[in-house]
Amino acid sequence: MAEKYILEMRHISKSFPGVKALDDVTIKVRPGTVHSLMGENGAGKSTLMKCLFGINSIDEGEIILDGKKVNFENPAQALTNHVSMVHQELNQVLDRSVMENVWLGRFPMKGCFVDSKKMYADTKKILDGLGIDVDPSVKAGSLSVPQRQMIEIAKAVSYDSKVIVMDEPTSSLTEKEVTHLFKIIDKLKENNTSIIYISHKMEEILKISEDVTVLRDGKWIDTKPASELTTDMIIKMMVGRELKERYPEKTTKPGEVLLKVENLASMTPDFKDVSFDLHKGEILGISGLVGSKRTEVLETIFGLRQKGEGKFILNGKEIDNDSPTKALKNGFALVTEERRKDGIFADLSVSFNTKISNLDRYIKKGFLSDALIKDTVRDMIKKINVKTPSARAKIGNLSGGNQQKVIFGRWLLTNPDILLLDEPTRGIDVGAKYEIYQLMNKLASQGKGIIVISSEMPELLGICDRILVMSNGHQAGIFDAKNVSQVQLMEASAKFI
């Protein structure tokens, strides 16, 4: 008896100016299963799903949904046909309520007025069914990134979806929240909903998937049952070669103290009494659960948040980073957690996004020098290995890993002494991660200090010299990365909860 599929995308091809993003790709999804889609950044995963969801049109091939040929012209058609997508980059109306975000464009009406009571009740029912403890009436902007991620999943479920695409759904979630997400996925499978799951986290893929499809350079490489795969096999299929080490060897040792942070506290009651030294050539990690105020510490150091108490001592002299402009002048740079929200200008070029933080250096005789900009951007693209058709291409059309490399390039052009990185490898494939780790090591070898936040403890253990743990706005300890375990870091993370 022939295998039954809820979705078939057969021989899909799609080209953009200067690049063939998909070349004869086929994927078949069984009802009530998790079908994971893997590949390096730029392999075509998100493009394929955008073709399904009606964001991109297909050049060749056909899409069969529940036995019927479809070709959605826009996301509204896909949603009407019970296909939904939870995007990697959250696109929510932050000053509106959770329930308004869930039912945006289809509010329940009572005569000429929105039926707020029904909207609240319907939203509460979905959230309760998924075990999501959020008040439907609170503003979406008041929630943490992981909570907003869960609201997007609830919105997808509200369309009574047959197929839900989840693009890097755990990229900003802690271990506890990932476990909750997997329980939600199990409930969806019990209702015969199929999940197409895009992730770079191998352990997750092998844990929750029934089937795995690997793409490379826009081409289908293989589809196999997850039970027949190992992490090494997936990596080899993804990159076309064996990647023996996840983390490059760190050959340099930290030197003298570069930055002293003494008794730092935020103006609002977010965190207090954070103290540490950052040495030249050191990579200092910051670990902690969501809500531990890791990001708030980094943003206060960079001047995005007002300092309540404490001192910054740079190279033996006290400084006051009371604004990002002052922080930049003092040699600091910040790569933010949500690159699409506050890291890139998505509709503008790679060139613009590379040069924007350092325009002063391109001025000649009172005017911006196009030739100097062109040469500098070209050299930076080559130096950090950005895959782009040209410097004129929109950065929003690049893969997440290449967008992140452009942001790194932007800040490197300011020649910072201290680089602050908030989840720098979020949503990035194993190959691109390795390149960013190498870049961090190279900067450390030049005597620069790096502070990095990551929700992935193996990553922190693999790339850092020391790890500072935050717990509920308190500093719970600083550990030598070579002599601490994940269990010890988790225990410290829960210290003040």
Side-chain angles (χ1 to χ4, degrees), residues 248-254 281 283 441-442 444-445 463 465 482:
E249 184 181 0
K250 197 169 187 295
T251 55
T252 57
K253 292 184 178 180
I283 300 177
N441 280 352
K442 185 176 181 180
S445 71
I463 65 173
D465 297 291
K482 291 180 181 178

Side-chain angles (χ1 to χ4, degrees), residues 415-456:
N415 193 27
D417 294 317
I418 297 173
L419 199 56
L420 310 174
L421 310 176
D422 195 349
E423 301 283 6
T425 63
R426 178 185 170 202
I428 292 177
D429 68 79
V430 65
K433 278 185 177 182
Y434 195 85
E435 289 183 88
I436 286 178
Y437 300 150
Q438 287 179 313
L439 185 56
M440 291 167 65
N441 280 352
K442 185 176 181 180
L443 293 170
S445 71
Q446 295 169 3
K448 299 184 186 299
I450 299 172
I451 304 176
V452 56
I453 291 174
S454 176
S455 296
E456 298 183 39

Side-chain angles (χ1 to χ4, degrees), residues 189-222:
K189 286 166 61 177
E190 288 172 9
N191 292 330
N192 217 32
T193 301
S194 298
I195 311 294
I196 301 178
Y197 192 92
I198 300 175
S199 177
H200 297 302
K201 298 180 179 179
M202 312 285 175
E203 293 78 10
E204 287 182 7
I205 293 295
L206 295 175
K207 183 175 182 179
I208 67 165
S209 306
E210 277 75 34
D211 302 297
V212 178
T213 291
V214 177
L215 304 182
R216 185 170 73 236
D217 298 329
K219 294 184 167 110
W220 176 88
I221 299 301
D222 207 347

Side-chain angles (χ1 to χ4, degrees), residues 174-176 203 246-247 287-289 454-462 467 469 479-494:
T174 63
E175 204 167 314
K176 181 180 178 181
E203 293 78 10
R246 293 281 193 97
Y247 307 103
S287 179
L289 304 173
S454 176
S455 296
E456 298 183 39
M457 281 189 283
E459 179 174 77
L460 291 175
L461 293 169
I467 301 170
V469 179
F479 302 87
D480 187 326
K482 291 180 181 178
N483 300 313
V484 68
S485 67
Q486 290 190 50
V487 172
Q488 288 172 302
L489 292 178
M490 278 300 296
E491 287 175 346
S493 298

Side-chain angles (χ1 to χ4, degrees), residues 331-350:
F332 290 73
L334 172 66
V335 176
T336 57
E337 178 181 7
E338 291 189 78
R339 59 178 168 264
R340 185 164 289 274
K341 177 188 172 189
D342 46 28
I344 64 170
F345 298 88
D347 290 330
L348 297 177
S349 68
V350 170

Side-chain angles (χ1 to χ4, degrees), residues 291-350:
S292 64
K293 308 306 178 184
R294 303 170 304 175
T295 294
E296 286 80 357
V297 170
L298 231 56
E299 289 179 346
T300 303
I301 293 172
F302 192 66
L304 279 171
R305 293 173 181 266
Q306 197 167 359
K307 172 168 64 71
E309 296 178 7
K311 294 181 180 179
F312 301 131
I313 300 172
L314 179 66
N315 289 319
K317 295 181 180 179
E318 187 172 348
I319 61 168
D320 190 5
N321 284 357
D322 55 9
S323 70
T325 302
K326 187 77 71 68
L328 281 169
K329 288 180 179 177
N330 286 327
F332 290 73
L334 172 66
V335 176
T336 57
E337 178 181 7
E338 291 189 78
R339 59 178 168 264
R340 185 164 289 274
K341 177 188 172 189
D342 46 28
I344 64 170
F345 298 88
D347 290 330
L348 297 177
S349 68
V350 170

Side-chain angles (χ1 to χ4, degrees), residues 162-189:
K162 299 174 183 175
V163 176
I164 299 178
V165 179
M166 295 186 180
D167 193 352
E168 295 289 352
T170 65
S171 58
S172 61
L173 303 186
T174 63
E175 204 167 314
K176 181 180 178 181
E177 290 158 337
V178 170
T179 300
H180 182 201
L181 174 64
F182 290 170
K183 289 179 181 178
I184 290 174
I185 289 175
D186 286 338
K187 288 181 182 179
L188 294 171
K189 286 166 61 177

